[in-house]
Amino acid sequence: MGHLVSLLLRGTHSDLTSFFSLLFLGVFLPAAIALYAITPSKWKKYALLVTSLGFFRLVSGELVLYLLGSILLTWGFGLWLGRLHRDRDAAVKAAAREDRKALKRKFLLRSRWVLGLAAAAHIGGLLTVKYTGFFLRNVNTLLGVELPIPGFVMPIGVSFFTLQAVSYLFDVYRGVQEADGNVLRVGLFLSFFPQIVEGPICRYSETAGQLWNAGGITWRNLTLGLQRILFGLMKKLVVADRLNGFVDGVFTGVDACQGGVIALAAVCYTVQLYMDFSGAMDAVAGMGQIFGVTMPENFRRPFFSRTISEFWSRWHITLGAWFKDYIFYPVTMSGPSKKLTSAARKRLGNHYGPLLAGGVALFCVWLCNGLWHGAAWSFLFFGMYHFVLIYLGSLAAPVVKRVNTRLGVKPERLPYRIAQTVRTCLLVVVGELFFRADGLRAGLRMFRKMVTDFRFDSISIPMLKDLRIDPQDFFIVGVTMVIVFVVSLLNERGIVVRDALEKKPTALRWAVLYALILYIIIFGAYGKGYVPVDPMYANF
Amino acid sequence: MKDTLRHLLSGVLFLALGLGLLLPFSRLFLPKDNSAEAGIHDPTPNGILGEPEDTIDVLILGDSEALSGISPLDIWENSGITSHVCAGGNQKLFLTREYLDRAFAGQSPKLVILEANCLYSNMGRMELITHWAQRTFPVVRYHDRWKSLGLRDWQGTVSYTHTHMTKGYHYNTDVHPANAEDYMAPSDEAAAIHPRNRQWLEGIAEACGERGAQLVLVSVPSSYNWNSPRHNGVEALARELGLTYLDMNLMPREVPIDWDTDTRDYGNHLNYRGARKVSLFLAEYLTDSGLFRDKRQEAEYAAWEQAWQYFRENAVSVPG
Amino acid sequence: METLYEILEDIQPDVDFKTERALIDDHLLSSLSILSLVAELEDEFDVTIPAVEIIPANFNSAEAMWKMLQRLREEE
């Protein structure tokens, strides 16, 4: 027992942040499931909370205090806002009809202050731990001073659970969510261990109740959940980690690489990021299912998108939705924006009218999106890049439509759709190039090389060998991508492979599962010659 | 309840079948020869697999201290006793145990030397589990060979043909002097050995006992790694387990290491000059043990004489 | 209801609003076109649509929008 406690107190078991590490998959998760299973129904929620806080403690050590503080603040501010709403309702009821509007207004202003304070506390904390270094470094360079840069350690998942906290408070403020008096339920909502490392960013209405009322583990949920984790493991181990050495080699040794190689590396990085991140999300969803909780999906076949704006509603969905609900609409629906939109519509028409206010809001969204990913100019550029693409897309839409009609092009035809999809993917790849590059300057240099110095014949086998990858690696990556593609295609048509498999005879189901397991064991990029790769979104 | 039982049973069956399925794949993926071209990991210590059956008198285990401090060919030249080093950098006891078992499969050494530095590298639980899986199911260790599977792999016939030129010894003549002023300053302290390491050492001693091999702990001189507390720790453990312990750090007359010339990396490892001194001492020690006969004139051991000749001709220098 | 259809046709002519049930989920209405839609609805039906109401459930079909408008008018 003493040993267990000391293990818990030691903290910083960074292995655990990867859901696909042996320590997590082989030890922590089975222990968590076992603890959950043997806990009587009434107490299961507490088992989940203890496991979650313990997980955070193991990974981030004493920084668990930051999480606990965050939980208390969220709970407290939620109650304060709820209280204001109740007072308002009582006052409005008691007041004369003609005074009601003014009263409502008074309370609205007050709760707006409270929300501002709460958001400032949360976002302020996030800004402090995440951006102080970036800010001071730039101040130092710009002003030629040498302010000391404090080495803040970021608590694991701070970028994710902060957004969850703010969304809850925002919802309470808007009156779409009751304030929760139970600090433990708020705590479980923020800290549930599968979601805390890389999201998805959940809404209170989505998971808090489910987690709190999570029931026993059923055989069906357990097996289906494990299967989903297995699929994620394949994405991560066979594709993402196999590409890692090559991508890393090109991005850190840009000068030696030809444009064609850089283009290949940019494509590989995009694939790697998708497989790594969506694989981790498969694991989260699978773990959720084991505990009987449906987690929101974070990816919906993003590379099937026809436009950049569609891409962002299919890639890291919960982040995009967060920005839309808590930045985009609040900005565009605010009084001044609405006035601007109305006025602009009269002059510019229905299409261009809203683009003024919408543009401002969109700019804010992408500024935040870029900065959320990290404090660096390259991330800001990444945000602005997508802002410009989406905005241009909207500006050009009527023109494109007119041209299409004039030329007799039918946008619903397959070739046109495929062309659109390919174009969107290429634009995404360029964006990811800047996203991954070691600073904005390196990104620009790589982009220039890729455009001005592109030759297919620069990609040769000896050159690839130098970069720790060979045609066989690409072959197996390709095969796995086809598997993922087929599964995606089925998903797009509403067929879930695991459910379909469930109805088949046991022999067939087991054969498929064994095949998948052996596939991962044989073709996974692990062991001698490979470096284990940390989950790519855990540091954002 | 009935359902739970049924589920539990099918879960166990699924796992058992799955593990069983790994066996044929393990056979397929296991390298069919012990050469680097055949895909074996660490061909140097695994060179022992290619030595003719029952020709190795002494097995030398340990970590990088052993592989850079003990030269079997120099022992041969001075005593006619055959030995092989089975050691890798930062090798821990679980791998040492694997090499011991692998060596025992084809050899019957009468004496096993374990360099003691590895008693102080601790083993994590995860490492142990990973190693167990790799050892039990070679497909886990050698899965990356899917890129080079050939006809022979499907036929499954294993034959080891590779022998290592210097019998597991890592030849190096760099000189980077060490500052060895306070080295081995007397102390009453004893550095603790992790209970898990102790347990594994006991297992190794037991295995040696079963095969009638004498286990000897030695410390190759290292001003960087060794000190009196570590000496005391190993000595106490050796006494407890009834093992001989030779600490060459404390034998300046028998093993006169000059820290200005005999180390390749500031006292961490010995270079060939240092290794030669250690090996000469060991040759004498092994001869004095009376366990072995001098085989230098025997025809079956001509390959050893050739290996020594080749080494002497190709090594940059063989001092004194 | 007819007025609503007219407004929708005007903003996004190539969609069949009478049958479509997943306007938002299927990306037939983008966030920017929702802006003009909201402005138009507010003018035409004389209601204020707060940001909270802009959720897929309220905009996935013409019918859902109609229900939301009715509700907002009653609350006014």
Side-chain angles (χ1 to χ4, degrees):
Chain A
M1 194 62 208
H3 182 68
L4 256 181
V5 170
S6 77
L7 190 81
L8 205 69
L9 285 176
R10 217 161 42 216
T12 59
H13 282 252
S14 54
D15 262 24
L16 277 179
T17 55
S18 171
F19 296 141
F20 303 123
S21 68
L22 188 61
L23 188 60
F24 186 88
L25 218 50
V27 181
F28 187 88
L29 186 61
I33 293 173
L35 175 72
Y36 185 81
I38 58 167
T39 309
S41 294
K42 238 169 69 185
W43 303 95
K44 282 194 195 296
K45 40 185 171 282
Y46 305 115
L48 224 42
L49 182 62
V50 168
T51 314
S52 296
L53 293 177
F55 175 79
F56 198 92
R57 183 70 180 78
L58 283 170
V59 175
S60 276
E62 267 113 48
L63 287 173
V64 71
L65 292 175
Y66 186 102
L67 175 65
L68 292 176
S70 208
I71 290 170
L72 283 177
L73 276 181
T74 309
W75 169 73
F77 275 116
L79 283 184
W80 191 354
L81 285 166
R83 174 84 195 255
L84 277 175
H85 286 338
R86 269 204 314 282
D87 289 355
R88 178 197 61 196
D89 292 347
V92 167
K93 212 167 181 187
R97 189 166 277 275
E98 58 272 22
D99 298 337
R100 283 182 182 173
K101 209 154 192 172
L103 253 176
K104 273 187 186 168
R105 176 106 198 119
K106 196 179 100 193
F107 274 98
L108 181 69
L109 283 176
R110 234 192 269 173
S111 53
R112 204 172 271 175
W113 268 106
V114 175
L115 177 70
L117 203 62
H122 277 103
I123 307 283
L126 180 64
L127 290 175
T128 313
V129 292
K130 211 169 161 178
Y131 304 103
T132 311
F134 174 68
F135 179 72
L136 287 180
R137 258 195 308 280
N138 280 299
V139 168
N140 283 351
T141 349
L142 280 177
L143 305 180
V145 290
E146 275 187 35
L147 298 172
I149 294 164
F152 284 118
V153 185
M154 268 189 357
I156 185 77
V158 62
S159 308
F160 295 94
F161 69 73
T162 301
L163 293 195
Q164 285 198 185
V166 173
S167 82
Y168 161 70
L169 292 169
F170 224 115
D171 288 351
V172 173
Y173 158 82
R174 288 169 162 181
V176 291
Q177 178 65 54
E178 284 284 326
D180 194 339
N182 188 335
V183 67
L184 297 179
R185 183 159 46 206
V186 175
L188 184 57
F189 161 68
L190 287 183
S191 68
F192 182 47
F193 71 90
Q195 124 233 313
I196 205 156
V197 183
E198 293 189 284
I201 300 156
C202 307
R203 301 296 167 83
Y204 201 84
S205 56
E206 281 172 334
T207 56
Q210 283 196 70
L211 285 167
W212 196 247
N213 299 318
I217 291 176
T218 67
W219 180 251
R220 183 169 185 274
N221 278 342
L222 181 67
T223 48
L224 291 185
L226 288 175
Q227 287 171 31
R228 178 109 192 235
I229 296 175
L230 205 61
F231 192 65
L233 182 64
M234 179 190 76
K235 287 181 178 174
K236 154 95 174 154
L237 220 50
V238 180
V239 181
D241 287 4
R242 189 165 289 283
L243 291 172
N244 183 59
F246 169 66
V247 170
D248 203 49
V250 174
F251 276 87
T252 51
V254 186
D255 296 323
C257 295
Q258 212 276 324
V261 182
I262 292 175
L264 182 65
V267 172
C268 286
Y269 174 66
T270 308
V271 172
Q272 184 196 7
L273 190 63
Y274 171 68
M275 293 292 186
D276 186 284
F277 194 13
S278 78
M281 289 305 111
D282 286 332
V284 174
M287 284 187 267
Q289 181 160 21
I290 291 174
F291 297 112
V293 177
T294 310
M295 305 295 286
E297 292 292 336
N298 229 358
F299 289 92
R300 248 185 11 232
R301 284 80 64 193
F303 297 109
F304 290 0
S305 307
R306 293 164 62 184
T307 63
I308 289 289
S309 123
E310 186 183 351
F311 176 82
W312 282 102
S313 63
R314 288 165 165 273
W315 169 286
H316 207 174
I317 296 170
T318 55
L319 181 70
W322 195 96
F323 282 127
K324 204 158 78 185
D325 288 355
Y326 302 109
I327 295 186
F328 184 78
Y329 288 128
V331 171
T332 49
M333 293 288 132
S334 66
S337 301
K338 272 191 175 168
K339 270 189 208 122
L340 180 64
T341 303
S342 293
R345 274 179 62 236
K346 296 205 175 81
R347 288 170 186 234
L348 301 172
N350 253 336
H351 184 78
Y352 291 108
L355 285 182
L356 275 180
V360 173
L362 208 58
F363 178 82
C364 294
V365 164
W366 285 101
L367 189 71
C368 293
N369 188 307
L371 280 177
W372 180 87
H373 281 94
W377 291 106
S378 54
F379 291 127
L380 265 177
F381 182 87
F382 173 78
M384 287 304 107
Y385 172 79
H386 283 284
F387 163 67
V388 169
L389 286 179
I390 292 173
Y391 202 59
L392 282 180
S394 293
L395 283 180
V399 182
V400 172
K401 195 177 263 171
R402 227 171 300 142
V403 171
N404 280 344
T405 333
R406 181 100 28 104
L407 296 178
V409 176
K410 295 213 169 59
E412 284 316 305
R413 285 269 179 76
L414 192 63
Y416 189 84
R417 272 160 45 196
I418 289 177
Q420 273 185 312
T421 307
V422 170
R423 176 209 55 190
T424 305
C425 290
L426 286 178
L427 290 174
V428 167
V429 166
V430 171
E432 298 301 345
L433 171 83
F434 284 99
F435 189 73
R436 172 65 171 82
D438 188 18
L440 181 54
R441 208 169 305 169
L444 288 169
R445 203 168 65 234
M446 289 176 82
F447 183 70
R448 203 174 50 229
K449 257 188 157 177
M450 191 169 86
V451 178
T452 58
D453 191 20
F454 182 90
R455 285 203 321 269
F456 268 116
D457 60 6
S458 70
I459 302 165
S460 67
I461 291 172
M463 192 263 345
L464 290 176
K465 274 247 154 64
D466 276 354
L467 288 162
R468 286 181 290 166
I469 199 155
D470 53 39
Q472 285 162 312
D473 288 317
F474 279 118
F475 174 75
I476 210 69
V477 164
V479 170
T480 317
M481 280 167 68
V482 169
I483 295 174
V484 172
F485 177 78
V486 169
V487 171
S488 299
L489 213 58
L490 290 171
N491 286 342
E492 192 75 4
R493 299 201 174 145
I495 302 168
V496 179
V497 178
R498 289 174 301 151
D499 294 347
L501 213 52
E502 205 187 2
K503 297 183 189 87
K504 300 276 186 261
T506 312
L508 179 70
R509 189 167 64 242
W510 282 26
V512 172
L513 289 176
Y514 282 139
L516 180 58
I517 292 170
L518 278 169
Y519 189 80
I520 296 170
I521 289 180
I522 293 171
F523 300 114
Y526 65 93
K528 204 179 168 83
Y530 298 99
V531 219
V533 189
D534 287 339
M536 299 172 83
Y537 256 71
N539 296 321
F540 289 136
Chain B
M1 198 62 219
K2 215 173 121 194
D3 263 4
T4 317
L5 204 67
R6 201 167 50 92
H7 291 148
L8 213 66
L9 225 78
S10 70
V12 171
L13 189 67
F14 184 82
L15 277 179
L17 254 171
L19 291 179
L21 210 61
L22 286 181
L23 292 175
F25 281 91
S26 287
R27 261 177 65 114
L28 174 65
F29 279 84
L30 188 74
K32 301 303 177 291
D33 197 350
N34 63 335
S35 61
E37 300 75 57
I40 202 157
H41 295 169
D42 307 311
T44 304
N46 278 309
I48 195 171
L49 296 172
E51 296 289 340
E53 207 167 312
D54 289 335
T55 55
I56 299 292
D57 294 329
V58 178
L59 181 66
I60 299 156
L61 303 170
D63 57 18
S64 56
E65 294 303 317
L67 69 88
S68 43
I70 304 175
S71 162
L73 289 178
D74 286 86
I75 296 178
W76 165 263
E77 185 230 354
N78 285 282
S79 64
I81 294 168
T82 56
S83 59
H84 204 289
V85 180
C86 294
N90 192 26
Q91 181 171 304
K92 302 194 177 181
L93 283 165
F94 51 77
L95 208 55
T96 298
R97 178 62 197 265
E98 190 180 348
Y99 279 122
L100 179 74
D101 294 342
R102 212 180 288 165
F104 276 153
Q107 306 291 340
S108 305
K110 290 204 198 90
L111 199 134
V112 174
I113 289 176
L114 176 63
E115 210 290 329
N117 192 46
C118 60
L119 294 175
Y120 287 104
S121 343
N122 293 342
M123 305 177 284
R125 276 197 197 85
M126 288 299 122
E127 275 182 302
L128 283 166
I129 295 173
T130 312
H131 177 256
W132 172 83
Q134 288 182 343
R135 212 184 147 170
T136 318
F137 304 106
V139 60
V140 176
R141 180 183 276 164
Y142 286 112
H143 65 96
D144 225 30
R145 289 191 63 238
W146 62 268
K147 292 180 181 176
S148 59
L149 287 185
L151 185 62
R152 193 164 154 204
D153 291 301
W154 295 94
Q155 290 163 340
T157 39
V158 177
S159 80
Y160 297 122
T161 59
H162 157 80
T163 56
H164 187 245
M165 301 233 285
T166 50
K167 312 294 176 192
Y169 165 67
H170 176 78
Y171 177 73
N172 188 302
T173 54
D174 293 351
V175 179
H176 289 289
N179 173 10
E181 255 169 47
D182 294 331
Y183 156 64
M184 296 310 280
S187 163
D188 291 335
E189 273 175 67
I193 290 168
H194 195 283
R196 206 180 283 144
N197 285 6
R198 183 201 161 102
Q199 214 181 333
W200 278 79
L201 176 65
E202 284 170 2
I204 288 171
E206 202 176 309
C208 288
E210 277 168 22
R211 292 293 301 262
Q214 191 190 332
L215 179 63
V216 176
L217 300 179
V218 308
S219 284
V220 166
S222 168
S223 68
Y224 177 84
N225 286 300
W226 217 245
N227 49 45
S228 291
R230 286 196 164 188
H231 168 90
N232 297 340
V234 175
E235 187 172 48
L237 182 59
R239 201 177 314 125
E240 218 180 304
L241 301 178
L243 302 173
T244 312
Y245 174 45
L246 296 173
D247 190 345
M248 290 180 251
N249 291 284
L250 296 177
M251 300 180 177
R253 269 186 322 137
E254 296 90 330
V255 188
I257 297 299
D258 179 345
W259 290 107
D260 286 333
T261 58
D262 296 353
T263 170
R264 67 168 147 103
D265 48 7
Y266 315 102
N268 192 348
H269 301 102
L270 297 180
N271 57 23
Y272 181 58
R273 258 183 98 89
R276 168 105 178 146
K277 290 175 184 172
V278 168
S279 305
L280 293 188
F281 166 74
L282 283 176
E284 202 178 317
Y285 175 82
L286 293 171
T287 306
D288 289 350
S289 73
L291 289 168
F292 312 101
R293 61 170 201 279
D294 182 345
K295 306 184 191 71
R296 274 175 288 192
Q297 306 303 327
E298 296 179 18
E300 298 101 285
Y301 291 88
W304 275 81
E305 200 54 32
Q306 280 161 18
W308 161 252
Q309 294 299 345
Y310 183 83
F311 176 56
R312 198 175 58 176
E313 280 156 25
N314 290 281
V316 179
S317 65
V318 178
Chain C
M1 196 76 187
E2 277 312 312
T3 341
L4 177 61
Y5 282 130
E6 271 166 35
I7 294 172
L8 289 168
E9 296 284 329
D10 183 39
I11 285 169
Q12 205 91 335
D14 41 9
V15 176
D16 183 4
F17 287 96
K18 293 201 167 127
T19 55
E20 198 53 64
R21 286 283 170 279
L23 291 168
I24 306 291
D25 296 341
D26 287 350
H27 317 287
L28 296 170
L29 275 178
S30 73
S31 352
L32 282 169
S33 44
I34 284 192
L35 291 189
S36 44
L37 176 62
V38 167
E40 189 93 16
L41 291 178
E42 288 190 340
D43 280 0
E44 196 66 40
F45 295 92
D46 193 28
V47 289
T48 350
I49 303 177
V52 199
E53 297 289 350
I54 305 184
I55 48 174
N58 283 345
F59 284 86
N60 258 335
S61 67
E63 211 168 306
M65 289 180 224
W66 185 249
K67 272 194 192 132
M68 172 190 70
L69 290 170
Q70 300 294 8
R71 185 163 45 79
L72 286 173
R73 257 202 271 191
E74 275 164 32
E75 279 171 19
E76 280 289 304

